[in-house]
Amino acid sequence: MSTPTDHGFDTKLIHAGAAPDPATGARNTPIYQTTAYVFKDADHAARLFNLEEVGYIYSRLTNPTVAVLAERIATLEGGAGAVCCSSGHAAQIMALFPLMGPGTNVVASTRAYGGTLTQFSQTIKRFGWSATFVDFDDLEAVEAAIDDNTRAVFCESIANPGGYITDLDAISAISDKAGVPLIVDNTTATPYLCNPIEHGATLVVHSTTKYLTGNGTVTGGCVVDSGKFDWSASDKFPSLSQPEPAYHGLNFHAALGGMAFTFHSIAIGLRDLGMTMNPQAAHYTLMGVETLSLRMDRHVENATKLATWLENDPRVDSVSYAGLESSAYHHRMARICPKGASGLFTVAVKGGYDACVKLVDGLELFSHVANLGDSRSLIIHPASTTHRQLPEDQLEAAGAGKGVVRISVGIEDIKDLIADMDQALAKATA
Ligand SMILES: Cc1ncc(COP(=O)(O)O)c(C=O)c1O
């Protein structure tokens, strides 16, 4: 990576991966709105296609604007390389793609975004892959679920929607022992609050749609590779450790070492799955990411104040936010995400389902949307929306039972958020 590693996090947020445009001097990263790039000559073209030289061929594979964002996120996560994708869901498929084959499985946490639970329990079956879901607080169950066909372990650092914190050190010790990579979805925490690679993650995935962009403008995703996993230590990952027939027999690990996963993801993943981020989306995310630390501090501050206020309100049964001392996950904060537990939590309202729906309808400043990580405060009732496809036991395990709403606290004035919540709770529980 060309970015100095001794820069502080806030400096990296603004500068990592970027330099004034060599052609024009443009200080901000231009939006390279082009599909293809002129080769210098036939030999140059051949070297690019052979991965003997790094450069631009076609924007389904790489684009200079998107490349700046990929390097920025890789730097923030402390990874060797990264590949940006069209959405967070695309990033999850892209992370699994080089690892999996028909008959293999991923061991995944029951506490995850509802869309992920459905993607893993239903859609990946079409590829001949499967998922085994386990409670990641039960370390023996995680270890027992890994079998000879397991190719990855998957969890969220801070899980959506319940804000549960995963013990990444304990989980990575188990995946290391089994010789399989740990993939951590760091969407809710962001690299400002949590560094999964420091806790043993092999790959980190993001929905850049959320806090990294931070203003609800574009969808995007990213897969960061730590560069630390030894793909050749077993015969489990032939796409990376053996001649790859999909790329004229190239052995990615032998040829590219710690960048094998990233190059495989670009040269084969993006080439054939086409889940590419467009340069406009990369531009919006580059603008957003510059203020990540400032925003996350305010998200955490507002979430802590609102969650505390709600917890003490008689119209509320309980609040699930690891930032509260009452949370069973609070003790993990100091080790996994010392700067805070993000801006996402669930609230069980007295009156159950009916009260939840009335609360959502009664709010005026909070927006009722299927998104999180926006500068605006957002609310949703997961059981009837984002987690709707799940059976009751999966809903409860994910922390998305029928009687809870999920709140993504924005960066507005906290007094206005509390006032809005107060009036809506009055209507919901009248
Ligand atoms: C934790 C988490 N991971 C992944 C995703 C999927 O991201 P996207 O909507 O960008 O595909 C989401 C979406 O809500 C999410 O909350």
Side-chain angles (χ1 to χ4, degrees):
M1 316 267 322
S2 56
T3 305
T5 47
D6 58 340
H7 280 165
F9 189 86
D10 289 354
T11 306
K12 289 176 186 167
L13 279 178
I14 292 165
H15 294 285
D21 182 50
T24 61
R27 187 62 193 88
N28 223 321
T29 301
I31 303 170
Y32 285 90
Q33 197 65 61
T34 182
T35 307
Y37 307 83
V38 177
F39 303 122
K40 289 177 204 153
D41 52 37
D43 183 49
H44 177 227
R47 278 186 283 113
L48 291 177
F49 275 91
N50 268 349
L51 302 183
E52 286 163 10
E53 184 176 329
V54 177
Y56 298 100
I57 297 175
Y58 186 63
S59 283
R60 172 155 36 83
L61 308 173
T62 45
N63 168 282
T65 315
V66 180
V68 171
L69 179 63
E71 183 164 341
R72 183 147 323 159
I73 299 174
T75 306
L76 296 174
E77 288 288 4
V83 55
C84 288
C85 319
S86 50
S87 70
H89 256 18
Q92 293 174 185
I93 295 296
M94 287 283 293
L96 292 174
F97 177 68
L99 317 175
M100 309 283 284
T104 60
N105 66 69
V106 49
V107 171
S109 172
T110 47
R111 297 187 189 86
Y113 163 54
T116 300
L117 298 174
T118 308
Q119 185 186 51
F120 281 16
S121 63
Q122 303 300 326
T123 303
I124 64 169
K125 283 200 278 193
R126 310 272 180 103
F127 309 146
W129 312 344
S130 65
T132 310
F133 292 100
V134 234
D135 174 356
F136 270 40
D137 281 338
D138 183 346
L139 299 178
E140 282 176 19
V142 177
E143 198 161 359
I146 298 176
D147 63 24
D148 287 346
N149 294 320
T150 302
R151 294 294 177 268
V153 173
F154 185 99
C155 62
E156 296 178 15
S157 46
I158 301 180
N160 170 11
Y164 309 119
I165 298 173
T166 307
D167 186 347
L168 299 178
D169 302 299
I171 298 294
S172 65
I174 294 171
S175 60
D176 276 355
K177 193 171 148 206
V180 292
L182 170 63
I183 307 174
V184 176
D185 181 341
N186 204 28
T187 298
T188 305
T190 81
Y192 178 65
L193 298 178
C194 174
N195 275 108
I197 291 174
E198 281 178 10
H199 297 283
T202 309
L203 304 173
V204 179
V205 291
H206 277 284
S207 165
T208 59
T209 316
K210 317 296 179 190
Y211 290 106
L212 288 182
T213 304
N215 46 39
T217 46
V218 283
T219 64
C222 188
V223 187
V224 180
D225 176 25
S226 64
K228 292 181 179 160
F229 196 85
D230 182 0
W231 305 110
S232 306
S234 74
D235 58 3
K236 288 184 177 168
F237 306 101
S239 279
L240 293 161
S241 66
Q242 292 170 27
E244 168 59 90
Y247 212 83
H248 49 69
L250 183 73
N251 181 323
F252 277 80
H253 196 206
L256 296 151
M259 289 298 281
F261 185 94
T262 302
F263 274 88
H264 189 285
S265 296
I266 294 167
I268 302 178
L270 290 181
R271 185 196 66 185
D272 296 348
L273 302 177
M275 299 166 164
T276 309
M277 179 182 276
N278 68 70
Q280 287 280 347
H283 168 75
Y284 283 112
T285 305
L286 281 167
M287 295 295 96
V289 85
E290 292 186 352
T291 56
L292 181 72
S293 57
L294 300 173
R295 285 185 286 108
M296 290 317 289
D297 279 339
R298 178 65 88 90
H299 281 296
V300 168
E301 185 189 328
N302 277 358
T304 308
K305 286 182 180 161
L306 184 62
T308 305
W309 182 84
L310 283 163
E311 190 177 41
N312 290 315
D313 193 290
R315 295 164 295 186
V316 165
D317 268 334
S318 61
V319 178
S320 174
Y321 179 54
L324 294 174
E325 278 177 28
S326 58
S327 164
Y329 293 88
H330 188 67
H331 68 288
R332 287 195 187 145
M333 240 177 75
R335 185 162 43 90
I336 307 290
C337 50
K339 292 199 211 76
S342 193
L344 192 73
F345 59 83
T346 55
V347 185
V349 184
K350 284 211 168 93
Y353 184 97
D354 290 343
C356 286
V357 174
K358 280 190 202 152
L359 175 70
V360 168
D361 283 344
L363 286 160
E364 287 161 15
L365 195 53
F366 284 75
S367 305
H368 180 198
V369 299
N371 194 18
L372 63 93
D374 196 326
S375 45
R376 289 152 201 79
S377 289
L378 314 174
I379 190 161
I380 199 158
H381 179 239
S384 58
T385 56
T386 51
H387 290 61
R388 190 182 186 90
Q389 277 83 16
L390 302 180
E392 199 123 340
D393 57 329
Q394 267 190 317
L395 278 180
E396 293 294 339
K402 286 189 175 161
V404 305
V405 289
R406 182 191 75 188
I407 293 178
S408 171
V409 187
I411 58 175
E412 303 98 328
D413 284 301
I414 186 64
K415 72 169 180 39
D416 298 328
L417 298 179
I418 290 178
D420 193 30
M421 195 54 76
D422 194 26
Q423 64 80 22
L425 272 174
K427 287 184 212 151
T429 57

